[in-house]
Amino acid sequence: MALTNRAPRTNPHGDQPQAPRRASLGAHVRAYVALSKPRVIELLLITTIPVMFVAAGGVPPLWTAVATLVFGTMSAASANAMNCYIDRDIDREMRRTRQRPGAMDLVTPRGALVYGLVLAVGSTVGFALLVNVLSAVLSVFAILFYIFVYTLLLKRRTAQNVVWGGIAGCMPVLIGWAAVTNSLDWAPFVLFLVVFFWTPPHTWTLAMRYKEDYAQAKVPMLPVVATDRRVLLECVLYSWATAIVSVLFWPVAGTTWFYGAVAVALGALLVVQAHRLLNRSRAGVTGAQLKTMGFFHLSNAYLALLFVAVTVDPLIAGLLG
């Protein structure tokens, strides 16, 4: 897993380059952390922790929660690292991803692959021994799905890549529930669907900002192969589906009025903003003037706040007796 600075040093008395200087340990660690895509992992943990509160009917057992977060982080990091290993060629073509360690050769391909595999094994063994076998199986499924179905099969072949590939990002909900109960139920599957329907509009509005990058890398994201109006119409439909399914969690999980009120309010905000984007497109607004990144950031806040409500609701239910 050798790590070196890319630019060779020049001899002060001549033009002959010297051998590259080895990077510091700190730079080495930062490169591997970046390879794990920590910001993506944050989103996954946002959905893992709250569902554990629902599964436990309150505060989950501390050890179970800590172990699930640790091994869940390792699992997600392994999938992200192997994704970077596979996609290092297209990462070099896109402005948004050119700074990734694999694209900049800060981490060797072999180092990235070994790192990902070690994390995958470690997370699986950790889940199986210290949490339960069901959570380990779900974790392995998420890793394999992200690598083989999304990265290798769908990403470079179809505009529906993030729709079905997003299933991997929904798995932390099931893993969190299984970690607490050692079983599955309808409630986590409803939250699974919330994340499933939320993913396409969240990703497509970001992809609209960087569609030239995706086109250059020959990745057929929907904004590359379809008109803005078509993309935003689908964003509206998926936003409606997200809002409706989020409210469905209210009766299925038996939550209090608190979750129901938050879900309705957040869902309405998400749908209204999606319709506003579509209306601007119909009015002839194009490109950066559409301001799709506003919806992207709103969708991040939507998911975070919705799952905060999922976390708080069991505590309110406990107080109400």
Side-chain angles (χ1 to χ4, degrees), residues 204-205 208 222-223 226-236:
W204 286 336
T205 48
M208 290 179 75
L222 187 63
T227 65
D228 288 350
R229 190 176 300 185
R230 160 73 186 282
V231 175
L232 294 175
L233 175 59
E234 295 213 20
C235 286
V236 166

Side-chain angles (χ1 to χ4, degrees), residues 52 54 100 108 125 166 186 211 240 252 292 303:
M52 297 179 74
V54 179
R100 287 179 178 171
T108 65
V125 172
W186 286 112
K211 67 179 178 180
W240 270 104
V252 170
T292 59
L303 194 71

Side-chain angles (χ1 to χ4, degrees), residues 63 127 167 200 233 245 250 254 315:
W63 171 247
F127 269 124
I167 287 175
L233 175 59
V245 174
W250 187 359
L315 304 180

Side-chain angles (χ1 to χ4, degrees), residues 41 46 62 82 89 91 115-116 121 129 132 140 147-148 179 192 211 216 218 234 249 263 265-266 271 280 310 315 318:
I41 294 175
I46 283 174
L62 179 60
M82 288 187 278
D89 57 333
D91 282 347
Y115 175 66
V121 172
L129 295 181
N132 55 53
V140 170
I147 297 304
F148 290 99
F192 177 101
K211 67 179 178 180
Q216 180 174 331
K218 296 182 175 59
E234 295 213 20
F249 183 71
L266 289 175
V271 168
R280 285 205 293 269
V310 171
L315 304 180

Side-chain angles (χ1 to χ4, degrees), residues 19 38 44 69 101 123 136 138 192 199 306:
L44 299 179
L69 294 182
S123 64
L138 294 171
F192 177 101
T199 300
L306 184 74

